[in-house]
Amino acid sequence: MMIRRLLPAAFILAGCAAGPDFSRERILHASYDGVSDDLLTAGLGKTGLGMATPPPLRDAKNPTSAELRRRAIHANYRALADMTPGGGYGVLYGPNIDLGGKDALGEGRVPGDEYLTLFDDGSGRHNVTLMVQVPDRFDPKQPCIVTATSSGSRGVYGAIGTAGEWGLKRGCAVAYTDKGTGTGLHDLATDTVNLITGERSSAAKAASASIFTASLSADERSGYLREFPQRIAMKHAHSQQNPEKDWGRHTLAAVEFAFHVLNGLKDRRAGKYTPENTIVIASSVSNGGYAALAAAEQDTRGLIDGIAVSEPNASLGGNVPRIQQGARVYSDNGRNLLDYTTLLNVFLPCASLAAENATAPLNTVPQALREARCASLAKKGMLKSNSVLEQAAESQRIINDYGILAEANAVLPSHYTLSVQQAIAVTYANSYGRFAVSENLCGYSFAATVSAGDRAGEPSAHPGHELSFAASNGIPPTAGVNLVNNASPGGAREDRLSVSPSTGARDMNLDGALCLRALATGKDAVTGTAVQGDMLEKHRRVQRGIAETRLTGRLHGKPAVIVQGRADANLPPNHASRAYYAVNKTLEPTSKLHYYEVTHAHHLDVLNGIAGFDARYVPLNVYFIQALNLMWDHLAHGRGLPPSQLVRTKPREMKDGKLEPIARANVPPIEASLGPNTRIGLAIDGVLRIPD
């Protein structure tokens, strides 16, 4: 049975007077019985989450908040994990697998209570979603809190299948936040927005309860739509707040909200919980991992006891040590996300045609478009080779010479197929520079587009945003919202169907990609000369935003574990996890940070359920779970953490023409005692050495 009610908060975290006061916030509370509905699976259980078909709706045009929640949990769980049994779901991980790795939890439903609130700075525009889940099995004698900040730009349920699942199984309260990105979608044409429960509302009616409303007056919105009809604003890109700079603070706020909720319990779980008597683990993956590291760096009140993260988006400044993998030495490490993503956005379409990528899975962008990108790059003098294959090989060399590992090469083409690079480049450039939706940075906007026919790619009215809360990942293209090139000759078109004005070719908007690259580097991407005028000012705005997001590398002695896939094509290890580990060990020689790098693993486990990926890669999630178990044993039982190491995995094998299901032998554990050529560490000469 579920009960939803709004409660005034009446308890403030003891001993944390400097923290937020939730006594003025409205809190939405729901109880779940673990049968018809629950915290982890929304009542779907292991079987329902494993089904590709989303849960049904009684009325698709008027979904209830409960239906939207169920859809959101289904979509977000499946977005991060390989859901095939052969790949590990229901066997190595999943709601049915206990923390010892045994299939012992049935359907894995978790009864308990869920608390939601919008956390604001008083302006009514910040509106960060915080959520706490308290399972019935929460133990007052061994209280614990685990953070589950959303990955990517996802909504508040964005880490439910990773840190959320582990925390609920452990019996901890789980502190979630959408970190100010989330599923804030403002359709400017209909002037409708998302609410915290997922329903849509007019912006006027929602007022300060909106997850996100673009900062445009009525006249400004009307004027913009006259020239650019049917456009949509997204919170991460267009909030003009650069939310990334606050992801650590949002995570700390979620922890304090968890203490607030726990100290307000009126049942058998009630007690007086403080940072001194409660284990708190900052955790999550990807952007959520960055948020956990940032929270630990910024924790001045002793809230966090330990950190366990996977593939964090660790944004650092300069002075990153050299990194040596085998015989190769990498310099210029620790580049920011926008830097290497805009480079990939320029050269990856051509590189995907390289001979070595011929069998790369999901390398399905039409060849004519990729060849056009190669030709346009060559005409601009950015490639020196003549034939398409030579140009593709040259593009691949440019990418790898930028510190992006060759192990990621077979993964990269799929990311362009899925528009990962374009989406990140456009969204983060807008966010860092605090650009309004009406500024159309580099000629980009967001809209639904016509799918076929003579008008294919033209902006159009969205057929309905009712399910945007559940379906959106917060960064277009998503939930029917696409990237649009406003500058395409003949009228705005969906980015990949558009024409670049400077080339007159359908080369997937090279002009837009070069503009974004210039914002990241401060140089004209073609001539190499410094940008001037308006472009210089925009570059400076972007750089100021990036500077606000940089981590320090100082964890203040807190024990920490990072796991990272070597084949990560989203967040290359040299610029993310390796760089953070090296800086931390340089600044804090007695640091308790441990780094575990995993072969044959990449950023998006969900892709491992696709042919071609399944035979090459193993789930990194297995090691994330182990990292959390190791941190728990360290904090709760005083057990030592294994030394930093390379974990060599084994891809699945073919037998009688069929791919064998994954087994424990494919994913050997992080070891307490190291074998030869396994240890990772900072050498006496200051170089981070990593085995091949």
Side-chain angles (χ1 to χ4, degrees):
M1 181 179 180
M2 180 184 72
I3 302 172
R4 280 198 178 273
R5 58 189 183 274
L6 285 169
L7 301 176
F11 300 86
I12 302 174
L13 175 58
C16 288
D21 179 0
F22 292 103
S23 63
R24 295 184 296 271
E25 305 294 338
R26 283 160 55 89
I27 298 172
L28 187 64
H29 172 219
S31 295
Y32 298 100
D33 59 15
V35 180
S36 61
D37 209 338
D38 76 298
L39 299 179
L40 177 59
T41 77
L44 297 170
K46 174 252 184 181
T47 302
L49 287 179
M51 297 179 65
T53 304
L57 305 169
R58 289 186 179 180
D59 180 355
K61 287 295 182 182
N62 295 285
T64 66
S65 61
E67 289 174 332
L68 288 167
R69 176 183 180 272
R70 185 170 293 117
R71 282 273 183 121
I73 289 175
H74 179 269
N76 281 282
Y77 196 107
R78 295 182 59 85
L80 299 186
D82 176 0
M83 300 298 289
T84 63
Y89 180 69
V91 179
L92 300 178
Y93 54 85
N96 60 308
I97 304 298
D98 68 16
L99 294 179
K102 297 179 181 179
D103 184 358
L105 300 180
E107 285 294 303
R109 298 183 181 93
V110 179
D113 293 271
E114 185 171 288
Y115 302 82
L116 273 168
T117 191
L118 274 179
F119 182 59
D120 188 46
D121 60 0
S123 68
R125 296 178 56 244
H126 199 60
N127 284 8
V128 177
T129 306
L130 304 181
M131 180 175 75
V132 174
Q133 292 182 325
V134 186
D136 281 356
R137 64 180 299 235
F138 178 87
D139 184 359
K141 296 179 180 179
Q142 194 174 39
C144 53
I145 297 169
V146 176
T147 72
T149 306
S150 65
S151 66
S153 305
R154 295 185 172 278
V156 74
Y157 293 101
I160 195 158
T162 52
E165 179 177 288
W166 185 91
L168 292 173
K169 289 178 180 178
R170 180 60 68 186
C172 299
V174 182
Y176 300 83
T177 175
D178 70 353
K179 63 188 188 309
T181 56
T183 50
L185 186 155
H186 183 183
D187 188 324
L188 300 176
T190 61
D191 201 19
T192 55
V193 297
N194 289 105
L195 302 177
I196 192 173
T197 51
E199 296 103 327
R200 298 288 294 175
S201 168
S202 70
K205 183 177 180 181
S208 63
S210 165
I211 290 179
F212 164 65
T213 301
S215 295
L216 296 174
S217 69
D219 288 344
E220 288 171 336
R221 183 172 62 84
S222 297
Y224 178 65
L225 287 172
R226 279 194 294 273
E227 189 172 359
F228 303 100
Q230 310 299 348
R231 297 311 200 266
I232 291 168
M234 300 290 285
K235 185 171 187 178
H236 190 170
H238 300 129
S239 71
Q240 297 181 263
Q241 295 180 19
N242 189 19
E244 186 178 337
K245 75 182 189 309
D246 295 318
W247 289 352
R249 295 178 182 87
H250 297 157
T251 299
L252 290 170
V255 172
E256 297 197 71
F257 184 45
F259 275 112
H260 171 80
V261 165
L262 291 174
N263 284 316
L265 294 175
K266 298 296 184 183
D267 58 21
R268 62 178 177 78
R269 300 165 299 177
K272 184 177 180 180
Y273 304 103
T274 70
E276 290 72 31
N277 65 20
T278 305
I279 291 175
V280 178
I281 300 176
S283 184
S284 195
V285 306
S286 192
N287 282 350
Y290 163 99
L293 292 172
E297 290 186 358
Q298 298 162 7
D299 180 18
T300 60
R301 296 189 294 279
L303 297 176
I304 295 170
D305 298 299
I307 306 104
V309 298
S310 178
E311 55 201 353
N313 177 12
S315 174
L316 291 156
N319 300 318
V320 176
R322 289 178 296 154
I323 298 171
Q324 182 174 351
Q325 178 186 325
R328 180 160 185 178
V329 177
Y330 296 92
S331 301
D332 298 322
N333 304 304
R335 295 179 184 273
N336 67 73
L337 174 69
L338 191 66
D339 185 356
Y340 57 76
T341 297
T342 53
L343 178 97
L344 287 169
N345 192 32
V346 171
F347 290 103
L348 181 54
C350 184
S352 68
L353 290 169
E356 65 187 273
N357 295 327
T359 60
L362 212 60
N363 189 3
T364 55
V365 173
Q367 184 163 335
L369 296 180
R370 291 183 283 162
E371 289 182 351
R373 174 62 67 89
C374 292
S376 291
L377 288 170
K379 288 178 182 177
K380 289 181 179 293
M382 299 179 71
L383 294 175
K384 308 304 180 185
S385 305
N386 295 317
S387 73
V388 170
L389 282 178
E390 289 171 338
Q391 292 162 356
E394 184 181 352
S395 294
Q396 188 68 73
R397 285 194 300 274
I398 290 171
I399 289 170
N400 293 137
D401 287 346
Y402 220 64
I404 297 168
L405 300 180
E407 286 88 344
N409 287 358
V411 180
L412 281 167
S414 68
H415 286 20
Y416 204 86
T417 297
L418 299 171
S419 297
V420 172
Q421 275 73 37
Q422 305 100 302
I424 291 175
V426 174
T427 295
Y428 283 74
N430 270 282
S431 181
Y432 289 142
R434 291 178 167 86
F435 293 99
V437 61
S438 56
E439 292 186 75
N440 290 334
L441 184 63
C442 288
Y444 287 99
S445 61
F446 301 159
T449 56
V450 178
S451 60
D454 294 340
R455 296 180 56 239
E458 288 185 11
S460 64
H462 197 285
H465 298 296
E466 292 86 359
L467 298 177
S468 60
F469 175 83
S472 173
N473 63 17
I475 181 168
T478 183
V481 181
N482 293 320
L483 290 173
V484 172
N485 176 10
N486 294 337
S488 184
R493 287 288 187 278
E494 192 273 320
D495 199 44
R496 293 201 175 179
L497 299 178
S498 69
V499 173
S500 295
S502 75
T503 66
R506 282 186 57 190
D507 51 20
M508 296 180 286
N509 192 10
L510 176 59
D511 287 357
L514 295 177
C515 174
L516 293 167
R517 182 70 182 141
L519 290 176
T521 65
K523 296 180 180 179
D524 184 287
V526 177
T527 66
T529 58
V531 295
Q532 302 293 327
D534 178 63
M535 198 65 178
L536 175 60
E537 176 54 30
K538 289 177 178 176
H539 163 69
R540 288 172 173 168
R541 288 172 64 177
V542 169
Q543 293 306 305
R544 285 194 293 269
I546 291 173
E548 292 177 319
T549 69
R550 288 184 181 135
L551 298 174
T552 67
R554 295 185 181 274
L555 291 172
H556 313 296
K558 296 180 189 292
V561 170
I562 295 175
V563 296
Q564 172 74 53
R566 177 168 281 186
D568 196 318
N570 270 41
L571 301 171
N574 285 334
H575 301 311
S577 293
R578 288 180 177 181
Y580 191 87
Y581 177 79
V583 168
N584 172 261
K585 290 297 184 181
T586 301
L587 296 175
E588 300 179 339
T590 60
S591 155
K592 299 176 183 177
L593 173 60
H594 296 72
Y595 175 57
Y596 309 125
E597 188 166 296
V598 182
T599 66
H600 306 114
H602 59 98
H603 197 82
L604 301 173
D605 279 2
V606 63
L607 297 179
N608 293 353
I610 297 173
F613 285 95
D614 52 4
R616 296 174 187 243
Y617 304 106
V618 300
L620 189 62
N621 187 41
V622 170
Y623 294 96
F624 177 56
I625 294 168
Q626 189 178 356
L628 279 160
N629 285 335
L630 289 169
M631 184 53 63
W632 175 262
D633 287 342
H634 177 69
L635 296 174
H637 308 298
R639 294 173 187 161
L641 293 167
S644 299
Q645 61 190 266
L646 178 67
V647 182
R648 293 183 173 89
T649 63
K650 183 181 179 182
R652 297 157 62 184
E653 295 182 349
M654 297 293 295
K655 186 175 181 180
D656 299 327
K658 294 183 179 180
L659 193 62
E660 288 281 280
I662 198 167
R664 289 286 173 187
N666 297 104
V667 284
I670 299 164
E671 298 285 3
S673 300
L674 300 188
N677 196 31
T678 303
R679 182 180 294 273
I680 292 174
L682 199 68
I684 194 169
D685 60 1
V687 176
L688 175 61
R689 287 192 164 83
I690 299 178
D692 256 338

